[in-house]
Amino acid sequence: MDKLGKRIREIRKGRGLSQEALGEKCGFSFSYIGGIERGENNVSIKNLEKIADALNVDLYEFFIDHKAERQISKKLDEFDDVLDLLLSLDSKELKRARTILNEVFKSK
């Protein structure tokens, strides 16, 4: 299944809609919706807009990789923790931390 179809399915299910119900809201058959979700049917921008309207989302929502967003968010949280630690150090401790970090990551 392609990413676009997978994302449409994820949003549809999150809204508690069947393929048939979504199809009715867009004026499409449930088999067309199923084909899109499985990556078997090509879909025009015009039809994507109809699906987005039926799901009450902006079109761009179909192209967002939320898994990647969560991974980035987690890394930013970890970075913030490290930054908070470094900001709490005095000048001497900061120089020592820098030396340690240089040694640890020198071989990478």
Side-chain angles (χ1 to χ4, degrees):
M1 179 185 323
D2 72 345
K3 289 181 181 183
L4 174 63
K6 185 176 181 181
R7 183 72 182 125
I8 290 171
R9 175 174 284 164
E10 179 181 285
I11 295 169
R12 174 183 60 76
K13 286 186 170 190
R15 300 281 190 277
L17 294 172
S18 65
Q19 289 177 345
E20 186 173 347
L22 176 58
E24 286 176 11
K25 289 179 87 167
C26 313
F28 303 139
S29 69
F30 75 92
S31 60
Y32 179 69
I33 298 294
I36 292 169
E37 291 181 355
R38 291 187 301 276
E40 299 169 355
N41 292 346
N42 291 325
V43 60
S44 68
I45 293 296
K46 184 176 179 177
N47 286 350
L48 278 178
E49 287 175 337
K50 288 180 182 181
I51 294 169
D53 287 344
L55 292 170
N56 198 29
V57 297
D58 291 319
L59 189 61
Y60 75 87
E61 284 288 331
F62 295 149
F63 303 97
I64 293 176
D65 182 350
H66 287 284
K67 183 178 179 182
E69 271 188 346
R70 285 189 297 273
Q71 290 172 338
I72 290 169
S73 179
K74 184 178 178 185
K75 285 190 182 253
L76 286 174
D77 288 345
E78 292 169 357
F79 178 78
D80 283 344
D81 291 345
V82 171
L83 184 58
D84 287 344
L85 173 65
L86 292 174
L87 289 172
S88 72
L89 302 178
D90 64 28
S91 181
K92 185 177 178 182
E93 292 169 326
L94 190 58
K95 286 180 184 178
R96 185 168 171 235
R98 182 177 174 200
T99 301
I100 292 168
L101 288 170
N102 280 333
E103 285 300 314
V104 169
F105 295 106
K106 184 190 305 185
S107 62
K108 293 188 179 212

